[in-house]
Amino acid sequence: MIIAKTEIIKAKMFLNGWMISDFAKEVAVSSNHLSNVINNKTSISPRLAKKMAIALDVKIADLFEVHIGKEKDIYGNKT
């Protein structure tokens, strides 16, 4: 499972002077989709994770956590 580090992403967006619509244009996705990714409401592709990291000048691991195995999701359900 991939979990977005929401607060870090939002802080990096702020430091770049970007609203969600600005950042969405930078990574070539819709604002709605990017918002859902940032708020862990939908999954993310490796390609989009890379685009986001490049746009924010960080590593993918700075923006996302990867959880492998039987753990709980963001809603507390076992995966």
Side-chain angles (χ1 to χ4, degrees):
M1 176 186 332
I2 309 299
I3 304 292
K5 298 178 182 178
T6 303
E7 296 306 317
I8 292 172
I9 295 169
K10 288 180 178 181
K12 294 287 186 181
M13 286 172 48
F14 176 83
L15 293 172
N16 279 288
W18 291 338
M19 301 295 292
I20 192 78
S21 58
D22 303 315
F23 190 27
K25 287 177 187 174
E26 287 290 321
V27 297
V29 296
S30 72
S31 297
N32 187 48
H33 180 65
L34 186 59
S35 178
N36 286 337
V37 166
I38 292 170
N39 292 300
N40 292 300
K41 293 181 179 179
T42 192
S43 60
I44 184 168
S45 69
R47 184 174 304 217
L48 179 54
K50 184 176 181 179
K51 285 181 179 181
M52 290 172 67
I54 290 169
L56 296 172
D57 195 29
V58 296
K59 296 178 183 175
I60 293 173
D62 294 334
L63 304 178
F64 299 95
E65 295 178 10
V66 178
H67 295 267
I68 300 171
K70 293 186 177 183
E71 297 186 22
K72 293 184 179 180
D73 65 14
I74 60 174
Y75 305 106
N77 302 314
K78 289 185 179 179
T79 59

